Amino acid sequence: RTVYAWAMLCMLLAFGSAGASDYSLEIFGNANMDETIDERDITYVEGIIKGTNAATNLSDANYDGKVDENDINRIELIIAGEEKEITLIDSAYRIITVEEPIKKIVVMNNEAAEIIRAFGIEDKIVGVSSGIANDKIFFSDFSDLPDVGTGSSPDYERILALKPDVLIYYSLYAPSAGKGAQELEKKLKKMDIKLVCLDCFYPQTMMQDVKKLSYLLGKKDEANEFIDWYEGYLDMIESRTEGLPKDKKPRVYIDSGSFNWGTSSNGSPDDAICTIAGGTNIAKDIIGSTYSVFPTIDPEWVISQNPEVMVVCGVSGTLASSGYDEDDAAAMDKFRETIKNSSELADITAIKNDKIFLISPDITREPEFIVATAYLAKYLHPDLFNDLNPQEIHKEYLTRFQGLDFDLDKHGVFVYPPLEE
């Protein structure tokens, strides 16, 4: 499943840990700036009105420029799920007010489509991106929906004809990113269609995006169920690896998939996978052009760093097909042998010790990031995670949160080599 944003996103700030939730839910009404909207926000706003609490960036719940009793009323409605509109900050840092309830959605973001399906309201989706429409296996239930093009080339007329309440987009294609998106937003405004950017694939912002979607779509309980499941596994893995001494965390070179010396640095999903799994990314502090978290590096530098492990995240396409639509691991095996037999890399410790691991992009981006993390933790620290079964985590995600009957014993190639029993 091609993720448009995967190959590009440029950042000014590097993210930190992707472990347990630690964020301020960017929805107006979250007056005390924690991870949810509840009675404590009413109490906080009452303190602002009395002059005992300082106003915060999100305390103006109805976004009218002042904090008063009307904001308390709005917060009460949000808590009860009875609000008629909600204002939030989306992944492109845009302040958006959306009318509710939302009945029709066009999704141009693969990961957001997964989350909506996890909420059990996929019937609200009336149109999808080409990437989703063409995925006949993982998104089989969406494949008959209207194809509205790609993020970089949307089918304006088809989107408008569907008359959705919201269009969910990647922040890469936000109106601030280019004329195409600006033109799209202008067309949408004329039809009272809201464009909302929610990435849903960066580990560091994933839970907040899930929460924002849940408030928009009235599925807070479903979101909390998913978050509790997801963070339970993530916290378990991180609790075992974060205390490891530095010399017990193998030095890892992460390749982006095509083995053309594209790598991943701090802020990327692949770096987060490596860090939580108990590895040390040798390229963590490298910044690419325009602050990209996916820089291209000199192979001589990799050789000089002599990594103990090589992880190829994103193996797909003509080099080595993988994922949900591939049942034969032969291509992965051939690709791995090509790396292993490279004369250029022959003296690297990872090659000498046969520590070369391939991971499909179908599980390295959110929401399935936890599956790739579990696999890599098992690869790097088999004794520490002898009780961990990544395939069972994957199976639970597919059945419990995606409603898919996909036999992982018979279908799909997600990692290589297979884990030892």
Side-chain angles (χ1 to χ4, degrees):
R1 288 174 287 135
T2 301
V3 178
Y4 303 117
W6 174 51
M8 67 351 111
L9 197 62
C10 300
M11 295 181 178
L12 292 173
L13 296 175
F15 291 119
S17 171
S21 296
D22 184 18
Y23 59 85
S24 175
L25 179 65
E26 294 171 334
I27 294 178
F28 285 81
N30 182 20
N32 65 351
M33 306 285 282
D34 63 3
E35 300 164 12
T36 190
I37 297 177
D38 56 22
E39 297 292 337
R40 290 172 293 184
D41 294 295
I42 294 175
T43 302
Y44 194 90
V45 171
E46 289 174 341
I48 295 174
I49 295 171
K50 293 175 183 177
T52 57
N53 289 337
T56 66
N57 292 336
L58 301 174
S59 53
D60 183 8
N62 63 356
Y63 198 59
D64 66 352
K66 56 184 179 295
V67 178
D68 54 24
E69 292 290 338
N70 291 326
D71 295 301
I72 293 176
N73 294 336
R74 174 63 61 85
I75 294 170
E76 289 174 339
L77 290 172
I78 293 173
I79 293 171
E82 298 174 355
E83 74 279 5
K84 299 301 181 184
E85 64 178 27
I86 196 163
T87 302
L88 57 86
I89 302 172
D90 73 1
S91 296
Y93 309 107
R94 301 157 64 242
I95 297 175
I96 307 293
T97 298
V98 181
E99 292 185 4
E100 298 191 291
I102 293 171
K103 297 179 180 179
K104 297 170 65 177
I105 309 167
V106 168
V107 184
M108 303 195 74
N109 174 326
N110 296 34
E111 294 77 19
E114 283 188 55
I115 296 302
I116 292 170
R117 187 161 64 180
F119 291 166
I121 51 171
E122 57 268 31
D123 58 319
K124 289 182 179 287
I125 299 177
V126 297
V128 294
S129 67
S130 299
I132 296 173
N134 293 330
D135 189 335
K136 306 301 182 181
I137 297 178
F138 188 82
F139 285 125
S140 58
D141 48 344
F142 297 151
S143 60
D144 292 333
L145 292 175
D147 179 343
V148 297
T150 66
S152 59
S153 183
D155 186 329
Y156 302 123
E157 300 308 317
R158 180 165 284 191
I159 292 171
L160 296 176
L162 291 171
K163 299 180 180 179
D165 298 306
V166 296
L167 171 64
I168 299 180
Y169 229 46
Y170 286 116
S171 62
L172 167 66
Y173 302 114
S176 58
K179 292 182 178 179
Q182 291 169 8
E183 180 181 355
L184 173 61
E185 187 170 50
K186 287 179 182 178
K187 291 178 181 290
L188 294 176
K189 281 182 177 180
K190 291 180 180 179
M191 298 285 290
D192 290 325
I193 300 169
K194 286 291 182 177
L195 186 151
V196 181
C197 296
L198 289 173
D199 289 325
C200 296
F201 77 94
Y202 276 107
Q204 299 84 352
T205 56
M206 173 65 182
M207 292 303 99
Q208 173 155 199
D209 290 344
V210 171
K211 278 285 191 76
K212 288 177 184 177
L213 262 179
S214 76
Y215 275 83
L216 281 174
L217 301 175
K219 290 294 175 179
K220 290 180 280 188
D221 290 342
E222 289 79 359
N224 288 333
E225 180 185 352
F226 171 71
I227 290 169
D228 288 345
W229 174 84
Y230 172 98
E231 291 192 333
Y233 282 116
L234 199 63
D235 290 347
M236 181 269 285
I237 294 171
E238 193 166 32
S239 68
R240 297 186 191 184
T241 60
E242 63 183 354
L244 290 172
K246 186 176 181 180
D247 61 352
K248 297 297 182 181
K249 294 183 177 182
R251 301 176 68 255
V252 179
Y253 167 64
I254 303 170
D255 188 83
S256 60
S258 57
F259 219 73
N260 61 359
W261 306 107
T263 190
S264 300
S265 59
N266 192 20
S268 69
D270 299 336
D271 173 71
I273 290 170
C274 178
T275 301
I276 295 169
T280 301
N281 176 13
I282 63 171
K284 190 177 190 73
D285 297 325
I286 293 178
I287 298 175
S289 59
T290 324
Y291 300 98
S292 172
V293 297
F294 301 108
T296 299
I297 55 176
D298 188 332
E300 291 296 328
W301 179 83
V302 176
I303 294 169
S304 72
Q305 293 296 304
N306 191 25
E308 300 163 89
V309 175
M310 299 185 74
V311 177
V312 184
C313 285
V315 187
S316 62
T318 57
L319 284 175
S321 57
S322 67
Y324 289 97
D325 56 356
E326 179 58 69
D327 295 340
D328 189 347
M332 293 274 267
D333 180 64
K334 183 178 179 180
F335 182 45
R336 187 174 182 275
E337 286 298 311
T338 299
I339 298 171
K340 185 177 176 181
N341 296 324
S342 169
S343 58
E344 184 179 27
L345 305 175
D347 293 329
I348 290 180
T349 298
I351 302 295
K352 291 180 178 179
N353 294 338
D354 198 23
K355 296 291 185 180
I356 309 165
F357 307 118
L358 314 184
I359 304 178
S360 169
D362 281 10
I363 60 172
T364 57
R365 300 297 174 264
E366 294 287 12
E368 289 160 90
F369 166 93
I370 185 59
V371 179
T373 304
Y375 270 113
L376 188 56
K378 192 93 171 182
Y379 277 136
L380 298 182
H381 303 284
D383 294 335
L384 193 61
F385 292 102
N386 63 334
D387 60 336
L388 186 65
N389 189 327
Q391 184 169 296
E392 284 301 311
I393 297 173
H394 195 178
K395 179 180 179 181
E396 186 177 6
Y397 175 73
L398 295 178
T399 56
R400 181 176 172 185
F401 296 105
Q402 294 301 304
L404 294 178
D405 182 16
F406 188 90
D407 191 339
L408 291 170
D409 291 320
K410 297 179 179 179
H411 302 293
V413 178
F414 301 97
V415 295
Y416 198 82
L419 285 173
E420 296 180 3
E421 293 297 331

